[in-house]
Amino acid sequence: MSQEALEEVLRKASSDAQFRNRLQTDLEGAVRGFDLSAQEKQQLRTGAGDRAVSVGAAPQRQAAAYAANAYAQNTVDAQNTVDAQNTVDAQNTVDAQNTVDAQNTVDAQNTVEAQNTVEAQNTVEAQNTVEAQSHPD
């Protein structure tokens, strides 16, 4: 028995509708290029190819499709989990960037205010100097 060959058949069935249909209509022909034992072919006929799926007494033509569809759904679920995590990561990156941008805005505002304070102080000092020079004691 070759568990890898059986898994390869299930992977192909999960992504290839023509192959999946051929499994249902001509199982022997569909798996001819795969190194499957008679027992593994029987597992595909009865729906036991995917151990996570219990199809019981499903008709022979539907058994392979049930196993392949379950495998495909698990693949989609895993991809959706990855996509959701990437969305969270992207949002966290945006939030962090917005925090940096907000801090930079505050820093820039503080710099402007400090510059204005220095300029106002210099203006006051200059005015005091002018007044002192124009009013000798």
Side-chain angles (χ1 to χ4, degrees):
M1 271 200 268
S2 168
Q3 182 66 28
E4 290 97 20
L6 184 59
E7 289 174 0
E8 187 177 343
V9 168
L10 292 173
R11 274 193 298 276
K12 184 171 183 178
S14 73
S15 63
D16 184 337
Q18 282 183 314
F19 181 72
R20 194 168 43 251
N21 288 335
R22 190 157 181 223
L23 282 174
Q24 294 176 14
T25 60
D26 179 19
L27 181 71
E28 287 296 327
V31 298
R32 187 167 287 126
F34 297 91
D35 184 25
L36 296 175
S37 68
Q39 183 181 5
E40 289 169 325
K41 291 176 189 175
Q42 185 58 32
Q43 286 178 330
L44 287 172
R45 281 186 193 93
T46 62
D50 183 349
R51 290 176 183 17
V53 177
S54 173
V55 293
Q60 178 180 347
R61 298 184 77 177
Q62 294 177 353
Y66 288 154
N69 287 337
Y71 183 85
Q73 186 57 51
N74 289 341
T75 302
V76 168
D77 291 346
Q79 186 57 49
N80 288 343
T81 300
V82 169
D83 291 345
Q85 185 57 48
N86 288 343
T87 300
V88 169
D89 290 346
Q91 186 57 50
N92 289 342
T93 301
V94 169
D95 290 346
Q97 186 57 49
N98 289 343
T99 301
V100 169
D101 291 346
Q103 185 57 48
N104 289 344
T105 301
V106 168
D107 290 347
Q109 184 59 40
N110 289 343
T111 301
V112 168
E113 290 171 359
Q115 184 60 41
N116 289 343
T117 301
V118 168
E119 289 173 359
Q121 184 61 39
N122 289 344
T123 301
V124 168
E125 289 172 0
Q127 183 61 38
N128 289 343
T129 301
V130 168
E131 288 176 2
Q133 288 176 349
S134 62
H135 299 293
D137 288 336

mmCIF file of all heavy atoms in Angstrom, residues 3 7 27-29 31 41 63 70 73 88 105 112 130:
data_model
loop_
_atom_site.group_PDB
_atom_site.id
_atom_site.type_symbol
_atom_site.label_atom_id
_atom_site.label_comp_id
_atom_site.label_asym_id
_atom_site.label_seq_id
_atom_site.Cartn_x
_atom_site.Cartn_y
_atom_site.Cartn_z
ATOM 1 N N GLN A 3 0.346 5.019 0.982
ATOM 2 C CA GLN A 3 -0.479 6.095 1.537
ATOM 3 C C GLN A 3 -0.270 7.387 0.756
ATOM 4 O O GLN A 3 -1.214 8.143 0.522
ATOM 5 C CB GLN A 3 -0.151 6.302 3.023
ATOM 6 C CG GLN A 3 -0.989 7.367 3.702
ATOM 7 C CD GLN A 3 -2.468 7.013 3.795
ATOM 8 O OE1 GLN A 3 -2.850 5.854 3.841
ATOM 9 N NE2 GLN A 3 -3.317 8.018 3.791
ATOM 10 N N GLU A 7 -3.112 9.681 -1.026
ATOM 11 C CA GLU A 7 -3.246 11.109 -0.716
ATOM 12 C C GLU A 7 -3.110 11.961 -1.974
ATOM 13 O O GLU A 7 -3.792 12.968 -2.125
ATOM 14 C CB GLU A 7 -2.212 11.511 0.337
ATOM 15 C CG GLU A 7 -2.524 10.952 1.704
ATOM 16 C CD GLU A 7 -1.432 11.220 2.732
ATOM 17 O OE1 GLU A 7 -0.412 11.854 2.379
ATOM 18 O OE2 GLU A 7 -1.593 10.779 3.874
ATOM 19 N N LEU A 27 -13.230 4.576 -12.165
ATOM 20 C CA LEU A 27 -12.210 4.617 -11.120
ATOM 21 C C LEU A 27 -10.909 3.958 -11.575
ATOM 22 O O LEU A 27 -9.831 4.529 -11.415
ATOM 23 C CB LEU A 27 -12.714 3.954 -9.836
ATOM 24 C CG LEU A 27 -11.712 3.961 -8.679
ATOM 25 C CD1 LEU A 27 -11.560 5.363 -8.128
ATOM 26 C CD2 LEU A 27 -12.132 3.010 -7.589
ATOM 27 N N GLU A 28 -11.009 2.772 -12.181
ATOM 28 C CA GLU A 28 -9.806 2.049 -12.611
ATOM 29 C C GLU A 28 -8.997 2.878 -13.605
ATOM 30 O O GLU A 28 -7.785 2.984 -13.500
ATOM 31 C CB GLU A 28 -10.174 0.694 -13.223
ATOM 32 C CG GLU A 28 -10.628 -0.335 -12.214
ATOM 33 C CD GLU A 28 -9.554 -0.743 -11.215
ATOM 34 O OE1 GLU A 28 -8.361 -0.770 -11.570
ATOM 35 O OE2 GLU A 28 -9.925 -1.043 -10.060
ATOM 36 N N GLY A 29 -9.667 3.479 -14.568
ATOM 37 C CA GLY A 29 -8.971 4.289 -15.558
ATOM 38 C C GLY A 29 -8.394 5.552 -14.951
ATOM 39 O O GLY A 29 -7.294 5.982 -15.304
ATOM 40 N N VAL A 31 -7.283 6.085 -11.899
ATOM 41 C CA VAL A 31 -6.149 5.881 -10.999
ATOM 42 C C VAL A 31 -5.056 5.014 -11.625
ATOM 43 O O VAL A 31 -4.119 4.630 -10.933
ATOM 44 C CB VAL A 31 -6.603 5.281 -9.644
ATOM 45 C CG1 VAL A 31 -7.551 6.233 -8.940
ATOM 46 C CG2 VAL A 31 -7.203 3.902 -9.817
ATOM 47 N N LYS A 41 -7.808 1.062 -3.838
ATOM 48 C CA LYS A 41 -8.855 1.325 -4.832
ATOM 49 C C LYS A 41 -10.222 1.043 -4.229
ATOM 50 O O LYS A 41 -11.179 1.797 -4.445
ATOM 51 C CB LYS A 41 -8.627 0.476 -6.079
ATOM 52 C CG LYS A 41 -7.413 0.897 -6.874
ATOM 53 C CD LYS A 41 -7.173 -0.050 -8.042
ATOM 54 C CE LYS A 41 -5.838 0.248 -8.702
ATOM 55 N NZ LYS A 41 -5.514 -0.732 -9.759
ATOM 56 N N ALA A 63 -18.824 7.713 -3.579
ATOM 57 C CA ALA A 63 -17.866 7.552 -2.491
ATOM 58 C C ALA A 63 -16.583 8.347 -2.718
ATOM 59 O O ALA A 63 -16.116 9.046 -1.817
ATOM 60 C CB ALA A 63 -17.538 6.073 -2.308
ATOM 61 N N ALA A 70 -14.393 16.254 0.949
ATOM 62 C CA ALA A 70 -13.979 16.505 2.335
ATOM 63 C C ALA A 70 -12.552 17.023 2.379
ATOM 64 O O ALA A 70 -12.235 17.962 3.108
ATOM 65 C CB ALA A 70 -14.099 15.227 3.163
ATOM 66 N N GLN A 73 -12.557 20.602 1.189
ATOM 67 C CA GLN A 73 -13.095 21.515 2.203
ATOM 68 C C GLN A 73 -12.061 21.788 3.279
ATOM 69 O O GLN A 73 -11.903 22.923 3.730
ATOM 70 C CB GLN A 73 -14.367 20.941 2.832
ATOM 71 C CG GLN A 73 -15.048 21.927 3.783
ATOM 72 C CD GLN A 73 -15.409 23.240 3.116
ATOM 73 O OE1 GLN A 73 -16.025 23.249 2.067
ATOM 74 N NE2 GLN A 73 -15.038 24.356 3.711
ATOM 75 N N VAL A 88 -5.633 40.083 9.820
ATOM 76 C CA VAL A 88 -5.343 40.617 11.157
ATOM 77 C C VAL A 88 -3.953 41.246 11.168
ATOM 78 O O VAL A 88 -3.766 42.349 11.679
ATOM 79 C CB VAL A 88 -5.450 39.500 12.219
ATOM 80 C CG1 VAL A 88 -4.886 39.966 13.554
ATOM 81 C CG2 VAL A 88 -6.900 39.077 12.381
ATOM 82 N N THR A 105 2.883 63.482 13.916
ATOM 83 C CA THR A 105 2.084 64.712 13.832
ATOM 84 C C THR A 105 2.183 65.494 15.141
ATOM 85 O O THR A 105 2.360 66.723 15.132
ATOM 86 C CB THR A 105 0.615 64.364 13.519
ATOM 87 O OG1 THR A 105 0.569 63.655 12.282
ATOM 88 C CG2 THR A 105 -0.242 65.612 13.429
ATOM 89 N N VAL A 112 6.641 72.942 16.093
ATOM 90 C CA VAL A 112 6.120 74.243 15.643
ATOM 91 C C VAL A 112 5.822 75.133 16.855
ATOM 92 O O VAL A 112 6.183 76.319 16.880
ATOM 93 C CB VAL A 112 4.865 74.063 14.770
ATOM 94 C CG1 VAL A 112 4.154 75.384 14.541
ATOM 95 C CG2 VAL A 112 5.237 73.405 13.438
ATOM 96 N N VAL A 130 14.610 97.469 22.405
ATOM 97 C CA VAL A 130 14.263 98.722 21.714
ATOM 98 C C VAL A 130 13.726 99.726 22.720
ATOM 99 O O VAL A 130 14.105 100.901 22.715
ATOM 100 C CB VAL A 130 13.267 98.446 20.588
ATOM 101 C CG1 VAL A 130 12.679 99.738 20.063
ATOM 102 C CG2 VAL A 130 13.921 97.647 19.451
#
